[in-house]
Amino acid sequence: MSFQSPMPSQDFLMNVFRSVDTDRSGFISADELQRALSNGTWSPFNPETVRLMIGMFDRHNKGQISFEDFGALWKYVTDWQNCFRSFDKDNSGNIDREELKTALVSFGYRLSDHLINVMVRKFDRHGHGTILFDDFIQACIVLYTLTAAFRQYDTDQDGYITIHYEQFLSMVFSLKI
């Protein structure tokens, strides 16, 4: 299953970039991006998800996105929309526990039902037992980042690591999540 979307034209991207860059600084801030994105519920896009995405695409470490970085960010969000829609089987606009489990299995994760429940509770900002689009992105980014950090220590790939407390804290505090 492919979630990749084609890259829109430079003219299209520039028009979108200019409409999002409301202060005309030539950069898109987290606040501007948050206002421009929609999670489908008329509520603001999760600021934590916006912060994570800015961090992923901000090559100059300024806390904002230049036009050069905007195309990749646009494609990233569009690909996540396609992914989200493919797992939202009932077209409810959110991902329930079973849909999340299906998505994570398709991504290669084999997590217990208990951990799936923990993730739903963690990323369900409204207490409905479901995860909205923006929170789904955040959940997937956090899971991927934590897994990558774990794998650095899991040299024999057996799913177990032995680290001391300061190694654990160093690993967690150095993550961009």
Side-chain angles (χ1 to χ4, degrees), residues 102-134:
T102 300
L104 296 178
V105 165
S106 78
F107 300 158
Y109 294 101
R110 302 288 183 259
L111 303 177
S112 68
D113 287 343
H114 170 75
L115 193 54
I116 298 289
N117 290 334
V118 168
M119 287 186 69
V120 169
R121 282 192 307 274
K122 169 79 176 158
F123 295 101
D124 172 17
R125 284 186 294 152
H126 301 291
H128 298 261
T130 59
I131 299 174
L132 299 173
F133 171 59
D134 48 346

Side-chain angles (χ1 to χ4, degrees), residues 3-15:
F3 306 113
Q4 303 238 339
S5 57
M7 189 62 119
S9 74
Q10 288 293 102
D11 288 341
F12 174 82
L13 286 175
M14 182 53 83
N15 287 334

Side-chain angles (χ1 to χ4, degrees), residues 10 24 133 153 165 177:
Q10 288 293 102
R24 302 291 177 247
F133 171 59
Y153 290 94
Y165 184 59
I177 57 171

Side-chain angles (χ1 to χ4, degrees), residues 76-141:
Y76 184 78
V77 171
T78 303
D79 289 346
W80 272 116
Q81 284 177 321
N82 293 335
C83 175
F84 182 85
R85 287 181 186 131
S86 76
F87 292 112
D88 180 14
K89 295 297 183 194
D90 60 359
N91 294 316
S92 62
N94 56 56
I95 297 285
D96 66 24
R97 187 196 160 296
E98 287 305 312
E99 291 166 334
L100 178 63
K101 184 175 183 176
T102 300
L104 296 178
V105 165
S106 78
F107 300 158
Y109 294 101
R110 302 288 183 259
L111 303 177
S112 68
D113 287 343
H114 170 75
L115 193 54
I116 298 289
N117 290 334
V118 168
M119 287 186 69
V120 169
R121 282 192 307 274
K122 169 79 176 158
F123 295 101
D124 172 17
R125 284 186 294 152
H126 301 291
H128 298 261
T130 59
I131 299 174
L132 299 173
F133 171 59
D134 48 346
D135 300 315
F136 177 71
I137 295 172
Q138 183 185 0
C140 293
I141 292 171

